[in-house]
Amino acid sequence: MLAQSVKIEDESDILTSRRMVREIAIKIGFGIVDQTKLATATSELARNIYRYADNGVVYIEQIVRPPGIKVIFQDNGPGIDDPEEAMKEGFSTTPGSLGLGLSGAKRLVDDMTIESEAGKGTKIEIFKYLP
Amino acid sequence: MDRIPILKLKNCLLISIQTDLHDLIITALQEDILTEIARTGARGVLIDISALDIVDSFMARTLRDCSVMATLLGAKVIITGIQPAVAITLVDLGLDLSGITTACDIDSGFDMLESMPGVFNSGRIVRRY
């Protein structure tokens, strides 16, 4: 079973995490469009960790039932007050941002879950299944 | 910090992004392009991103902002070589990319620049008899 983890501590770790996700997605058998979507979603969510939580970890796992990939983004940052609100398009706490981080990432994958509590960090899981 | 080279050809700036860039380099590139437009009076800017297999919202937003800012300085930006999978992903991501001009490859990008006054010629209309 393929599994990897990447610590997010500086900007270059965002690049490392999306490259790693693409590598594993290729090995699992995803096509070029799904690889690109997964790598892009990872880039958005890893950047969120770096920006808002300062540091965290990205875990990448192959899943079997149904076959696909799961990527977990975990941090001990400030957390999200209202995860449902944050998933809405256009939501952002950063001026000038398009607010596409969470809602955009969600549209690139098959499933996305957020567990978060203000002050206790955030855990986001994304899933993409083989077609 | 690494910087992306900016080449000047006639009244045009050429930038080829060959590697995956992190946010600081992307932001620096935007500044460098605007500085070079102001310094050289370039009227056209061609940015080739055919080597990029991922363009996330930050990169896309910076490219779009750069196009708008260049317009304010009197230059036209053309982005060339967006890969099909990248185009599909950008649309799914929900980005509003109106305001950027694109061309399939560098060749067609140059054709577009050539047809604009002041990029490869003086901007005057030359009549041939």
Side-chain angles (χ1 to χ4, degrees):
Chain A
M1 208 50 50
L2 298 163
Q4 275 285 1
S5 69
V6 186
K7 275 194 188 142
I8 305 294
E9 282 163 345
D10 66 49
E11 297 206 314
S12 59
D13 296 330
I14 302 174
L15 268 62
T16 312
S17 67
R18 69 195 196 194
R19 256 182 238 141
M20 202 86 87
V21 165
R22 188 187 285 274
E23 260 171 46
I24 292 183
I26 292 171
K27 282 186 193 150
I28 294 175
F30 282 104
I32 178 82
V33 173
D34 283 341
Q35 289 164 30
T36 308
K37 286 182 179 180
L38 272 164
T40 308
T42 301
S43 186
E44 305 290 331
L45 297 172
R47 180 175 290 107
N48 274 0
I49 292 184
Y50 175 70
R51 282 225 180 122
Y52 302 115
D54 199 42
N55 64 77
V57 189
V58 176
Y59 302 95
I60 311 152
E61 280 173 34
Q62 179 176 17
I63 50 174
V64 276
R65 230 169 275 150
I69 190 169
K70 169 161 99 166
V71 189
I72 306 169
F73 303 82
Q74 179 123 43
D75 67 61
N76 297 312
I80 302 169
D81 287 335
D82 184 350
E84 259 180 54
E85 180 70 20
M87 287 247 252
K88 282 187 192 155
E89 204 164 317
F91 176 88
S92 179
T93 52
T94 311
S97 142
L98 296 177
L100 289 168
L102 290 182
S103 64
K106 187 170 188 253
R107 264 179 299 179
L108 296 177
V109 296
D110 294 326
D111 254 321
M112 174 162 141
T113 62
I114 302 184
E115 280 170 47
S116 183
E117 216 177 302
K120 290 194 178 156
T122 303
K123 182 184 181 188
I124 297 181
E125 294 185 334
I126 57 172
F127 300 83
K128 189 116 192 141
Y129 310 114
L130 279 174
Chain B
M1 188 175 66
D2 295 334
R3 282 195 122 87
I4 308 297
I6 299 177
L7 310 176
K8 183 171 178 287
L9 178 72
K10 302 278 189 180
N11 275 332
C12 183
L13 301 178
L14 302 177
I15 297 110
S16 169
I17 301 178
Q18 292 292 327
T19 50
D20 220 3
L21 304 178
H22 64 65
D23 300 2
L24 283 176
I25 300 183
I26 298 173
T27 314
L29 176 64
Q30 182 184 43
E31 259 183 62
D32 288 351
I33 291 173
L34 296 171
T35 311
E36 278 303 286
I37 293 171
R39 195 180 68 81
T40 62
R43 303 286 296 273
V45 179
L46 196 144
I47 306 174
D48 182 65
I49 59 166
S50 56
L52 292 188
D53 58 9
I54 174 168
V55 174
D56 64 6
S57 66
F58 182 79
M59 177 76 176
R61 195 171 74 229
T62 311
L63 288 173
R64 191 201 58 190
D65 290 354
C66 190
S67 301
V68 177
M69 292 167 186
T71 309
L72 295 176
L73 300 183
K76 179 83 186 162
V77 174
I78 296 177
I79 313 279
T80 64
I82 296 179
Q83 292 184 13
V86 169
I88 294 170
T89 304
L90 283 176
V91 171
D92 266 11
L93 202 53
L95 281 172
D96 173 23
L97 294 174
S98 53
I100 73 165
T101 306
T102 55
C104 175
D105 51 24
I106 299 182
D107 262 346
S108 0
F110 261 113
D111 286 346
M112 286 170 86
L113 286 174
E114 250 175 341
S115 66
M116 293 173 197
V119 176
F120 285 110
N121 51 56
S122 63
R124 281 171 300 183
I125 297 166
V126 181
R127 286 217 173 89
R128 288 198 181 82
Y129 295 99

